[in-house]
Amino acid sequence: MKNKTLAVIVLLVLLCAGRFWGSHDDGNGQASQGVGASASSEASMSRDSSSGDLLEQKGREGRMLYREGYVVCFDEASKIPYWVAWHLTAEHVDGDVRRSDDFAEDPEVADGPTLADYRGSGWSRGHMCPAGDNRWSRQAMSQSFLLTNMCPQNARLNNGDWKELEEKCRKWAKRYGDIYIVCGPLLYNRRHQTIGKGQVVVPEAFFKVVLCMSGKPKALGFIYKNEDGNRPMGDYVNTIDEVERITGLDFFPALDDDVERAVESKGDIKDWM
């Protein structure tokens, strides 16, 4: 990944600082994941920012995996990502690289999820950063099929409403020039289902947040239960503030305070249509 793009991605999301994934229910039946210290940065949203001074990490950290097209904060205990973040541009959407389908174990993670873990499990290998967002580079496309970019996901969700959101994000990137995306799994406070000998955790839900800085800044959050569903996209919409409350993550901390408050408190999909 180019340093400039990486810098912006790192800038946009709290990078696993103080994470302890001892999940708890927030009292409304929502999955909530605990986070300790927050990342901080005085850097601006400029794409020319250097990645050197963009964040501060404290306490327990996930395993950072830097790809050409995205960044993963990976939890080696649950064998699924904490989160995956990337910068999606109109140029990336218009790439002509074909889907590779070369699912693979991650050589950087010695005891990571395996192909055998998923085989016969009844769960699909659900991309966090989708293959369709990586058609601009053969390497980026291939890396999107690493299992560290995936979670066990309901097959109908993967091929249905979740896919619809992925496609909508590509349309937004094309319309606005570029967007920033962070997504990942949510865990409830109970014993989690696992798959395979590696005991890969099956999430109960997923989140995704999307930021557009073109024109008047705006952002949307989404929460999807890890189950079959065929509902309008608007049913999954949340404000960024609400997704932060559910996940415990601090998104987009480098935005000016007034901009951050404005974009994170409003979640209206009509603003994006």
Side-chain angles (χ1 to χ4, degrees):
M1 178 181 295
K2 300 291 182 63
N3 286 337
K4 293 179 182 178
T5 302
L6 174 60
V8 175
I9 290 176
V10 171
L11 177 64
L12 289 177
V13 64
L14 169 64
L15 298 184
C16 290
R19 187 123 200 180
F20 54 90
W21 240 21
S23 305
H24 59 276
D25 193 293
D26 66 8
N28 295 312
Q30 295 285 3
S32 181
Q33 299 163 220
V35 176
S38 296
S40 62
S41 173
E42 297 299 326
S44 72
M45 292 295 295
S46 169
R47 293 190 183 90
D48 295 325
S49 298
S50 167
S51 61
D53 300 315
L54 294 180
L55 67 141
E56 177 184 3
Q57 299 191 81
K58 299 178 181 179
R60 179 180 171 185
E61 301 171 5
R63 175 80 177 273
M64 297 302 302
L65 303 170
Y66 300 94
R67 309 304 185 200
E68 185 173 4
Y70 61 92
V71 178
V72 179
C73 186
F74 188 74
D75 177 36
E76 294 181 295
S78 65
K79 301 191 178 181
I80 56 176
Y82 282 131
W83 54 259
V84 180
W86 65 103
H87 178 208
L88 184 61
T89 72
E91 291 78 10
H92 290 179
V93 172
D94 287 333
D96 58 3
V97 176
R98 292 184 178 182
R99 181 183 171 98
S100 62
D101 281 321
D102 52 344
F103 293 92
E105 296 158 17
D106 195 325
E108 291 189 39
V109 181
D111 191 28
T114 68
L115 294 169
D117 288 328
Y118 280 87
R119 194 173 298 125
S121 69
W123 295 90
S124 68
R125 296 164 293 197
H127 284 73
M128 295 295 94
C129 180
D133 290 9
N134 290 278
R135 296 183 60 209
W136 52 281
S137 160
R138 286 187 178 86
Q139 181 177 350
M141 171 62 74
S142 184
Q143 288 177 342
S144 76
F145 283 91
L146 291 171
L147 294 183
T148 46
N149 178 43
M150 300 183 186
C151 294
Q153 191 171 48
N154 178 282
R156 291 187 177 180
L157 174 65
N158 189 14
N159 294 314
D161 288 0
W162 188 254
K163 180 180 179 181
E164 181 183 353
L165 176 57
E166 292 173 340
E167 292 171 344
K168 182 65 72 173
C169 286
R170 288 192 281 273
K171 289 181 180 179
W172 288 335
K174 206 165 183 180
R175 177 182 301 170
Y176 299 113
D178 67 324
I179 56 175
Y180 301 96
I181 305 172
V182 187
C183 77
L186 293 169
L187 304 180
Y188 289 98
N189 184 26
R190 56 183 170 84
R191 186 167 182 166
H192 309 294
Q193 181 179 348
T194 63
I195 60 171
K197 291 183 178 180
Q199 296 187 319
V200 180
V201 169
V202 178
E204 284 76 49
F206 299 94
F207 74 87
K208 180 171 283 189
V209 295
V210 185
L211 172 71
C212 176
M213 295 298 293
S214 176
K216 183 179 181 180
K218 55 181 175 284
L220 274 180
F222 298 87
I223 300 290
Y224 287 71
K225 291 183 179 180
N226 195 7
E227 59 188 34
D228 184 17
N230 183 18
R231 298 162 55 189
M233 187 176 295
D235 287 359
Y236 300 104
V237 169
N238 289 260
T239 64
I240 302 298
D241 283 340
E242 180 67 7
V243 179
E244 287 183 333
R245 184 184 68 82
I246 293 169
T247 63
L249 288 168
D250 178 20
F251 300 108
F252 318 133
L255 289 171
D256 291 340
D257 288 344
D258 56 343
V259 175
E260 184 178 5
R261 283 192 294 268
V263 302
E264 294 190 354
S265 63
K266 184 180 180 181
D268 190 346
I269 199 168
K270 293 179 182 177
D271 293 340
W272 295 69
M273 298 305 182

